[in-house]
């Protein structure tokens, strides 16, 4: 019996050791460039052994792939070449739907990640679907490793479906990568293949799903030598014309032009610059009525501030939407007697934006981002004479982010980052300096993650604050757990160039996470997370609330996904809702639960359902909310979806108004109703041209029923004498429609139509069509055509030669 146990342990150790050994494949130097035709017909394919023996990521982590794959690698003095044969026993069942660039959709795919420095810190990914849709991704080390889909590169590819499966050929110019001669002859490498009909994801080098992060689990590409990093210089000039029409009948033509520049300063560092940038075709924000004391967060849709900014995300002090945002000193702050605001700009115009970033072969990462906005002006008008005058709402402003990052052993790192905003002829400035680090043990089982920073902002008087966040966790294995301590002082404020929803808090959080990543019974995988939070106010040092919850996720073998979560909290002292420093309101215990369901995304029609409920039983406050999203794929090219969301809250207790220089704070008991209707459609003409349409209508109605006066001890007393009308009815209607054609590598033509309509008043309207009618009375339309052309210096120099 003992002998059997010993033999079993030896076998298990051997399996574990083999699983951890890195695979390797050789790249062959060629003198004649491959013809990228998806045929794998050149003789060189017979001169080097392919990479093969892919294994499953899902559903059975580590088992052989359900379909074999072979991949070959070549290089010359200009580019890397990848050829792959993705064998398939049922070629007619390959998922090869067309989608727009950088969107895999529900297709099968093949992708390769290159890590030129082989440090497990940064990798460049090139993915493609059977229909030839390109997706490029930059993977960056972090706790779980982040994949930045906003990174774009210019490369060539061709695919072909045959009776043996499907074929891929890629040509990736060295200008799309960052490396140096000191990077060595061995690069980090991994490949991925998804077989959609089996919901099977596969990798070439084994990835243990119980280990956090994937870049450091890569294999190796050997034999790359005698190559030089090329001159990485490209220009993308653009020209755009806009026709804008307002609801009052005014219209105008606008002509804009500028240029994007990319330049490889050294082998490792790249300069990206926008000269006179234009973001007029960016998707509209999903605006809504904000009844909370916290600022709303909007996603960044501008390509420049999404691409290659991973270094600038350290310590959570940079929110790129601050650059070019609404002016800091609104026109209403300049009003004199008998004046009112006639015009206040919603954004500031950028003169330029520049970023320099990169990572050296010895693990140093450096980044600088700088942007400048020109002076912005609003208008106020005399209500008697009707004379208008111009007012400065924001002077010339400079925004700067600088970061230095050092990669350490075991996928660890430490960073220092600084943000600064300053304005011409104005004493106000804001400066934040912070650090972030992650330290992992050799086995990648345990980690300590920390952040901390100091803010200084103001004019004649400077206000300073700080924050500290430290977390210890086990992030490997079936059972994972961690504890986190956060302290943010009441004067810490990074929001001139960052985003922090609330300061003045001390939070302690603990969690336990249990996961099963292989099929059991009807489940493909599942996990549970229990968490507990103890929340205090920093100043004064008092209890805010205790809260705990459970989150569970189940993926079924039929590819359905279910999430069930819930939480309960104790009595809560809310120091934010009164909107006056030092004042607070007492809330009774509350609970919430949510159910989410996703059907099989592989089907032509699939759906997402969400239902949630929350309540405070002691005061009779209840909320029901949910979402239904239906997506329908029609044929090979067309897809449409409809999303409806609602939130019905009864007897909510919330802030209404302050009076008498904020000594009197009034709360209201109100009913709040919200609906969101979004219809989206996409027609893909081919893998280089598509048409997208998105229509959204949002409505919020807040109707107050009774009022209360907040007491010093946080309680509320009825105040029937309050007679102000603070009801709110808000509508937002947006249409975003665009035709995009990539007519040459890196070059595109975009034709866009944008419609925006907003209305807000103090009379709640419950009829959907009446809300739409009132909203359309105040709308604007923008029609635009923009052409951007990509010039690569290396191609130009070849032509001249």
């Amino acid at each position: 019996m003992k002998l059997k146990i010993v033999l079993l342990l030896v076998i298990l150790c051997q399996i574990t050791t083999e699983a951890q050994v890195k695979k390797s494949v050789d790249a062959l130097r060629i003198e004649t460039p491959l013809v990228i035709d998806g045929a794998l017909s050149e003789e060189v394919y017979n001169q080097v052994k392919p990479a093969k023996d892919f294994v499953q990521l899902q559903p059975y982590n580590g088992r052989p792939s359900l379909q074999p794959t072979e991949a070959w690698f070549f290089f010359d003095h200009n580019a890397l070449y990848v050829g792959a044969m993705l064998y398939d026993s049922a070629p007619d069942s390959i998922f090869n739907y067309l989608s727009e660039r950088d969107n895999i959709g529900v297709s099968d795919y093949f992708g390769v990640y290159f890590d030129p420095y082989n440090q497990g810190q940064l990798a460049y990914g090139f993915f493609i679907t059977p229909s030839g849709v390109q997706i490029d991704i930059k993977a960056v080390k972090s706790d779980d490793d982040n994949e930045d889909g906003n990174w774009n590169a210019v490369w060539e590819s061709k695919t072909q479906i045959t009776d043996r499966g499907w074929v891929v050929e890629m040509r990736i110019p060295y200008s799309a990568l960052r490396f140096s001669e000191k990077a060595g002859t061995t690069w980090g490498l991994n490949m991925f293949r998804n077989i959609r009909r089996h919901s099977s994801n596969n990798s070439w080098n084994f990835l243990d799903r119980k280990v956090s992060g994937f870049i450091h689990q890569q294999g190796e590409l050997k034999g790359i030598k005698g190559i030089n990093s090329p001159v990485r210089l490209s220009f993308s000039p653009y020209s755009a014309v806009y026709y804008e029409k307002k609801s009052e009948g005014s219209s105008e033509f606008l002509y804009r032009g500028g240029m994007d520049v990319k330049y490889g300063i050294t082998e490792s560092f790249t300069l990206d610059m926008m000269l006179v940038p234009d973001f007029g075709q960016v998707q509209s924000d999903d605006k809504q009525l904000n009844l909370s004391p916290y600022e709303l967060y909007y996603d960044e849709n501008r390509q420049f501030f999404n691409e290659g900014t991973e270094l600038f995300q350290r310590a959570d002090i940079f929110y790129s939407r601050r650059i070019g945002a609404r002016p800091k000193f609104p026109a209403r702050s300049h009003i004199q007697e008998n004046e009112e605001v006639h015009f206040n700009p919603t954004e500031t115009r950028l003169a330029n934006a520049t970023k320099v970033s990169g990572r050296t072969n010895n693990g140093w990462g450096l980044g600088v981002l700088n942007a400048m906005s020109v002076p912005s002006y609003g208008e106020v008008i005399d209500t008697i004479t009707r004379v208008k005058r111009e007012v400065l709402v924001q002077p010339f402003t400079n925004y700067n982010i600088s970061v230095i990052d050092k990669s350490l052993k075991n996928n660890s790192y430490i960073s220092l980052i600084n943000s600064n905003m300053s304005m011409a002829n104005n004493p106000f400035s804001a400066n934040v300096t912070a650090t972030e680090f992650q330290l992992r043990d050799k086995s990648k089982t345990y980690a300590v993650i920390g952040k901390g920073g100091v803010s200084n902002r103001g004019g004649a008087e400077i206000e300073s604050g700080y924050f500290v966040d430290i977390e210890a966790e086990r992030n490997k294995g079936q059972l994972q757990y961690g504890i986190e301590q956060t302290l943010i002082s009441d004067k810490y404020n990074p929001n001139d160039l960052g985003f922090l929803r609330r300061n003045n808090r001390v939070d302690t959080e603990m969690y336990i996470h249990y996961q099963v990543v292989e099929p059991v019974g009807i489940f493909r995988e599942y996990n549970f997370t229990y968490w507990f939070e103890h929340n205090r106010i920093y100043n004064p040092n008092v209890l805010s609330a205790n809260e705990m919850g459970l989150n569970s996720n189940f993926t079924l073998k039929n590819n359905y996904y279910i999430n069930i979560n819930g939480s309960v909290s104790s009595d809560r002292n809310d120091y934010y809702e009164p909107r006056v420093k030092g004042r607070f309101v007492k809330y009774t215990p509350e609970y919430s639960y949510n159910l989410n369901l996703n059907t099989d995304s592989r089907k032509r029609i699939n759906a997402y359902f969400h239902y949630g409920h929350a309540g405070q039983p002691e005061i009779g406050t209840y909320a029901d909310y949910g979402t239904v999203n239906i997506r329908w794929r029609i044929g090979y090219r067309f897809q449409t979806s409809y999303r409806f969301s609602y939130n019905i809250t009864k007897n909510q207790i919330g802030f209404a108004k302050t009076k008498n220089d904020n000594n009197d704070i009034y709360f209201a008991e109100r009913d709040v109703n919200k609906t969101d209707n979004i219809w989206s459609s996409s027609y893909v003409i081919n893998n280089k041209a598509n048409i997208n349409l998105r229509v959204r209508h949002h409505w919020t109605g807040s109707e107050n029923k009774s009022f209360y006066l907040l007491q010093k001890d946080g309680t509320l007393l009825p105040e029937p004498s309050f007679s102000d009308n603070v009801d709110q009815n808000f509508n937002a209607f947006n249409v975003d429609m665009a035709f995009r054609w990539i007519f040459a590598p890196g070059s595109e033509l975009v034709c866009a139509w944008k419609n925006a309509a907003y209305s807000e008043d103090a009379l709640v309207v419950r009829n959907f069509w009446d809300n739409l009618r009132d909203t359309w009375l105040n709308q604007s339309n923008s029609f635009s055509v923009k052409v951007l052309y990509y010039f690569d210096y290396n191609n130009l120099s070849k032509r001249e030669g």
Side-chain angles (χ1 to χ4, degrees), residues 407-480:
S407 299
L408 306 174
K409 291 182 178 180
N410 307 322
N411 206 226
S412 303
Y413 64 86
I414 185 168
S415 303
L416 182 68
I417 185 170
N418 174 267
S419 70
N420 181 274
M421 189 209 75
S422 58
M423 294 180 286
N425 302 317
N426 191 300
F428 181 88
S429 66
N431 189 286
V432 182
T433 301
T435 185
E436 177 178 319
F437 65 86
Q438 175 179 279
L439 303 176
R440 283 184 169 183
D441 70 319
K442 188 175 182 180
S443 68
K444 314 290 194 306
T445 302
Y446 299 97
V448 176
I449 304 167
K451 303 174 186 177
V454 178
S455 69
N456 296 279
R457 64 189 301 271
E461 296 183 3
I462 300 296
E463 184 176 77
S464 299
Y466 68 94
F467 88 98
V468 178
D469 185 286
I470 189 78
E471 179 180 2
E473 62 181 22
R474 173 190 168 94
N475 50 22
K476 178 181 180 181
Q478 199 166 42
L479 182 66
Q480 302 179 8

Side-chain angles (χ1 to χ4, degrees), residues 269-396:
F269 292 91
T270 300
L271 165 72
D272 291 274
M273 178 179 290
M274 292 190 305
L275 303 174
V276 194
D278 172 48
F279 303 113
Q281 295 181 320
V282 170
Q283 180 181 299
S284 305
D285 289 329
D286 287 345
K287 293 185 178 180
Q288 57 182 294
L289 178 65
N290 185 13
L291 296 173
S292 78
Y294 314 120
E295 179 185 3
L296 294 177
Y297 182 92
Y298 291 108
D299 291 334
E300 177 62 88
N301 295 318
R302 298 172 297 179
Q303 182 67 29
F304 179 86
F305 294 108
N306 273 328
E307 181 184 354
T309 56
E310 65 280 346
L311 268 176
F312 304 101
Q313 304 307 319
R314 299 298 192 205
D316 301 325
I317 69 168
F318 177 49
Y319 176 47
S320 58
R321 288 295 301 267
R322 301 296 184 199
I323 300 175
R326 186 181 294 273
K328 198 166 187 65
F329 309 107
R332 67 173 180 271
S333 62
H334 299 273
I335 289 177
Q336 299 176 2
E337 187 177 358
N338 299 323
E339 286 185 334
E340 63 183 12
V341 175
H342 181 258
F343 167 71
N344 193 72
T346 58
E347 62 182 28
T348 52
R349 179 94 174 142
L350 294 184
N352 62 63
T354 305
K355 60 175 180 272
V356 177
S357 61
R359 185 173 293 277
T360 67
N361 64 300
N362 57 2
W364 286 98
L366 301 171
V368 177
L369 189 154
N370 198 86
M372 303 176 185
S373 65
V374 299
S376 294
Y377 296 89
E379 283 185 348
V380 298
I381 186 170
D382 191 295
T383 57
I384 299 175
T385 65
R386 308 308 295 175
V387 174
K388 301 174 187 175
R389 67 182 180 92
E390 197 174 60
V391 294
L392 181 66
V393 292
Q394 183 162 322
F396 178 90

Side-chain angles (χ1 to χ4, degrees), residues 32 37 51 85 203 223 230 277 338 411 461 466-467 484 500 535 540 599 605 638 652 654 678 765 769:
T32 303
D37 55 5
M85 181 67 225
S203 66
N338 299 323
N411 206 226
E461 296 183 3
Y466 68 94
F467 88 98
E484 182 177 8
L500 178 67
N535 301 320
T599 66
I605 299 178
F638 184 70
Q652 181 189 76
I678 301 175
V765 178
W769 298 109

